[in-house]
Amino acid sequence: GGDACAAGEFDGFAPHGEPRLMRQIFAVQDFPGSVIGLFHGNSLFGKDTIFLRFPCGSVCDLPKGGTAERCRQFADIPRGGSAAMAQRMAARFESLGGGIYTDAAVQGAEIADGRVTALLLADGARVGADVFLFACDPTVTFGTLLPAGYMPAPLRRAYTNSAAYPVFSSVHAAFSVDSAAVEDGTVVFSCTPFAVMGREHPRLPLRSFLHEPDFAPAGKTVVETLLFQDAAESDRWQQLKKTPEAYAEKKAALADAIAARIKERYPAAAESLTLLDCWTPATYRRYFDSFHGAYMAFAVTGRRRLPTGCSPRIAGLSNAFLATQWQKAPGGLPNAAAAGKRAAKTAEILLA
């Protein structure tokens, strides 16, 4: 999810469709005070990770070769995937003097005289700082960490008007396969229709990771497919997960159906195609506590203007700032990066 990158460092990443923005160097000079960036959920680093007291400065290093080379004029992709990118962010952050605190669930914030003075942890600890950057899903920031009334009006309008501001998630399956059996890049092919949560899917997108030789042993690669789910379908996955056996059976049946259609398309993959994992909107909800299990922000529709003007400032709290993908549709890593930079710059001005 984009929120996990919003207030961090960016090495080896550039965005889809915003080359001018990301070809600027992400550089923020040393802050004169201490800053907290808060990330919510069971992330790579643990539950409710807190980023503490950091001076920032980063370089955007664009990858070369393979898929990235071919689309370099418009986009680049993270070397090693999202996990490797997050690990580079963490390493860069710590090299600048930052501290990462895991298994530190935050129950709320202490507010006094129009300022956030501390975060209150589940173990009773109180963590103070000069500035607080909230990179959680806004539905967590406003209502769990901060009173819901602090939510900016543009976000409140979007969250309460699902017809004009829909959200979506996906169900995914990833497989190991002989690298010679599949195509490079992403293809969308017609297939025998099958239903997922009541919706029929007559086509299947398939993305190969041949551009990532370290993802699999020699002669092998990883392929991944996804099927979009709207908010109602995503919520059905959340409900199904409450019955673990039924949830596991549903995922297994779906993975089998997807595998059968991949083999129809690529007969040479029949012997080597092996399921690695299957995950759903409920997985995204478990990891990030995100709204309807969404990993992007509000979908782009023709029914309303994009919420492009959601400031990082939180009215009524002079030292608290938002740094999330949800501040600009359709979200994702590019908008999360832009939101993080904007929040950091705003905080820098405050601390100057």
Side-chain angles (χ1 to χ4, degrees):
D3 287 347
C5 303
E9 298 294 335
F10 300 87
D11 177 25
F13 165 77
H16 300 287
E18 297 191 38
R20 182 178 62 82
L21 169 67
M22 291 296 290
R23 277 165 175 69
Q24 299 174 4
I25 299 298
F26 278 77
V28 181
Q29 300 303 314
D30 289 357
F31 287 114
S34 61
V35 178
I36 283 182
L38 177 62
F39 299 78
H40 181 84
N42 298 323
S43 69
L44 290 170
F45 313 117
K47 293 183 179 179
D48 301 291
T49 299
I50 301 175
F51 282 24
L52 289 175
R53 296 183 177 85
F54 59 93
C56 285
S58 64
V59 175
C60 182
D61 179 16
L62 305 183
K64 299 290 191 296
T67 303
E69 182 67 24
R70 288 196 298 276
C71 65
R72 188 158 52 94
Q73 296 302 313
F74 305 98
D76 285 302
I77 56 178
R79 291 190 306 271
S82 297
M85 181 179 67
Q87 290 160 1
R88 289 193 296 270
M89 289 165 56
R92 175 65 171 162
F93 175 78
E94 290 181 310
S95 75
L96 295 168
I100 298 175
Y101 295 71
T102 62
D103 296 319
V106 180
Q107 290 190 327
E110 181 181 273
I111 299 172
D113 299 324
R115 294 174 58 86
V116 176
T117 55
L119 297 178
L120 306 176
L121 307 190
D123 63 4
R126 178 184 179 277
V127 184
D130 298 305
V131 168
F132 296 79
L133 305 181
F134 290 89
C136 319
D137 190 281
T139 57
V140 174
T141 296
F142 303 103
T144 299
L145 307 181
L146 299 173
Y150 284 108
M151 180 179 281
L155 285 177
R156 190 182 309 114
R157 285 195 298 270
Y159 279 118
T160 55
N161 188 350
S162 60
Y165 295 85
V167 298
F168 66 91
S169 188
S170 302
V171 59
H172 304 246
F175 301 83
S176 169
V177 68
D178 288 346
S179 56
V182 294
E183 304 168 71
D184 189 13
T186 300
V187 297
V188 180
F189 59 89
S190 298
C191 65
T192 304
F194 63 110
V196 182
M197 287 300 173
R199 188 201 306 194
E200 191 172 84
H201 294 266
R203 288 174 294 278
L204 196 64
L206 189 70
R207 178 186 182 190
S208 75
F209 288 84
L210 289 167
H211 60 280
E212 288 286 1
D214 294 336
F215 273 20
K220 299 285 186 179
T221 191
V222 174
V223 293
E224 178 198 356
T225 188
L226 66 84
L227 300 165
F228 288 113
Q229 305 280 268
D230 62 23
E233 293 163 339
S234 296
D235 289 346
R236 291 188 200 115
W237 283 107
Q238 313 291 342
Q239 287 297 117
L240 186 62
K241 194 174 185 300
K242 295 178 180 179
T243 308
E245 289 185 4
Y247 179 69
E249 289 175 3
K250 184 77 170 179
K251 290 203 303 178
L254 176 60
D256 287 344
I258 290 171
R261 285 150 180 80
I262 294 174
K263 292 174 183 179
E264 289 175 1
R265 168 76 179 191
Y266 300 101
E271 295 298 323
S272 63
L273 192 73
T274 304
L275 179 67
L276 297 175
D277 198 6
C278 180
W279 62 103
T280 75
T283 312
Y284 289 110
R285 182 63 182 264
R286 177 169 63 89
Y287 270 79
F288 306 115
D289 206 6
S290 58
F291 187 56
H292 292 294
Y295 55 84
M296 298 280 285
F298 305 105
V300 177
T301 74
R303 299 183 183 182
R304 46 75 174 155
R305 297 173 59 187
L306 299 181
T308 57
C310 187
S311 168
R313 293 184 179 275
I314 299 175
L317 298 173
S318 62
N319 67 332
F321 303 95
L322 282 180
T324 83
Q325 63 165 343
W326 293 86
Q327 291 160 254
K328 183 177 181 181
L333 294 176
N335 285 326
K341 181 180 181 182
R342 188 179 181 192
K345 282 290 189 181
T346 306
E348 182 183 23
I349 293 170
L350 174 67
L351 293 171

